[in-house]
Amino acid sequence: MLKLIFDTIVALLAIALLSPVFILLAILIRLKLGTPVLFRQVRPGLQGRPFIMIKFRSMTSETNSSGELLPDAQRLNRFGRFLRATSLDELPSLWNILVGEMSLVGPRPLLMQYLPLYSAEQNRRHEVRPGLTGWAQVNGRNNLSWPEKFRLDIEYLDRMSFWFDCKILLLTVRKVFLADGVSKDGYSTTEAFKGND
């Protein structure tokens, strides 16, 4: 309950204080990346229940001669890389936190198609609401292997407390400032999860 109250208060204050930043970013995204300004995608939340995660778009809609979208790496321009490096693209997810679909801290919400691929232990990551940041994010982010990310997610569940969340939030500020682990070498973010060997 304390975690939920803390999340709601912080998200509400952040949205109010950062509203000028939201407006400025929306204008810049419209000019540099096109429309829609917001990126919406269904992700698994608490107990794996789907919700629509909201982010600022960070890629263009460029297509090839057949009308198919170009690969992610080609649609991620300099401004989009800046948004991801600074995590500014994540700001609209504060709304997901405000309405109780996400938390400030928790395992990151991944893709719906990964759900059948998890082991029973890995699936424990859905015992809590997904987070804007998490223990895996401050320990390597996209530079981690999938098994290591999941191990850290489960470690978070086993150690979860209000003060541990505060520690992760402070470490997140440092990670964002250093733009550390934003993408894995050779990928726009990281490789797809294909299940356990």
Side-chain angles (χ1 to χ4, degrees), residues 97-108:
I97 296 172
L98 186 62
V99 299
E101 295 167 333
M102 289 180 63
S103 178
L104 287 169
V105 181
R108 285 291 293 161

Side-chain angles (χ1 to χ4, degrees), residues 80-144:
R81 285 193 294 272
F82 165 76
L83 290 176
R84 290 191 179 189
T86 56
S87 295
L88 288 171
D89 62 322
E90 304 277 1
L91 287 180
S93 295
L94 288 167
W95 173 257
N96 294 119
I97 296 172
L98 186 62
V99 299
E101 295 167 333
M102 289 180 63
S103 178
L104 287 169
V105 181
R108 285 291 293 161
L110 300 176
L111 300 177
M112 293 297 295
Q113 57 262 40
Y114 292 173
L115 285 177
L117 304 179
Y118 297 134
S119 67
E121 182 73 359
Q122 292 166 350
N123 199 50
R124 286 188 58 207
R125 66 195 314 278
H126 299 110
E127 291 176 5
V128 295
R129 287 175 296 146
L132 190 63
T133 186
W135 191 224
Q137 276 57 50
V138 299
N139 280 285
R141 204 170 174 179
N142 287 318
N143 278 330
L144 298 172

Side-chain angles (χ1 to χ4, degrees), residues 148-165:
E148 186 65 8
K149 287 180 187 177
F150 296 142
R151 185 190 69 77
L152 290 166
D153 286 342
I154 303 308
E155 183 180 330
Y156 170 75
L157 290 178
D158 294 336
R159 295 178 57 186
M160 190 168 60
S161 71
F162 176 73
W163 297 113
F164 191 35
D165 279 8

Side-chain angles (χ1 to χ4, degrees), residues 10 20 23 26 36-37 41 85 100 111 130 164 194 196:
V10 172
I23 294 170
V37 168
Q41 190 174 51
L111 300 177
F164 191 35
K194 298 178 181 178
N196 301 285

